[in-house]
Amino acid sequence: MALIAIGLGAATFIAAHLIEAATWNWFSGAHAPWFLNSGRAVAFTAACFFTAGALTGAAGTRGGAIRLGVLIGLGGAIAAAFVLFWRVGAGTLFPIAIAVGALVLIASSAAGVSAARALRRAAAR
């Protein structure tokens, strides 16, 4: 399950990045398309990871919500690092960009898993 969650996170980030890059004018990005370069892009990417986490939690997967959220976010962070280095250009603050990005992705996906599981428990009552 761990590799599936990591793969889901990587696929989610790549999909979000491709959408953002194709519609970068809407995201009001002043710099190259990168999810931390625009508040709208941060919100969009966080919503994508919340959704990925929620779908995982709703599917009844095993494992703790935080663990699954971390794995999905980790997959996204790995993909984000590749995109940052090979598409955007890392710059001198890349460690901060990777750390902040990973926190956004992990928190969003863990919140999604937790929300879906809470809804499943409430519906089962």
Side-chain angles (χ1 to χ4, degrees), residues 2-86:
L3 290 178
I4 293 171
I6 291 170
L8 173 64
T12 301
F13 184 83
I14 295 298
H17 179 74
L18 289 174
I19 291 168
E20 291 164 359
T23 59
W24 193 238
N25 288 337
W26 185 83
F27 288 101
S28 302
H31 304 287
W34 171 246
F35 84 107
L36 294 177
N37 283 344
S38 161
R40 286 182 180 177
V42 171
F44 175 76
T45 304
C48 289
F49 273 81
F50 182 89
T51 303
L55 292 173
T56 303
T61 54
R62 295 176 192 242
I66 300 300
R67 179 180 179 271
L68 285 172
V70 167
L71 290 172
I72 293 168
L74 178 63
I78 291 168
F82 279 105
V83 170
L84 181 63
F85 280 100
W86 280 283

Side-chain angles (χ1 to χ4, degrees), residues 81-103:
F82 279 105
V83 170
L84 181 63
F85 280 100
W86 280 283
R87 286 297 201 195
V88 178
T92 57
L93 298 176
F94 76 89
I96 295 169
I98 291 172
V100 169
L103 287 174

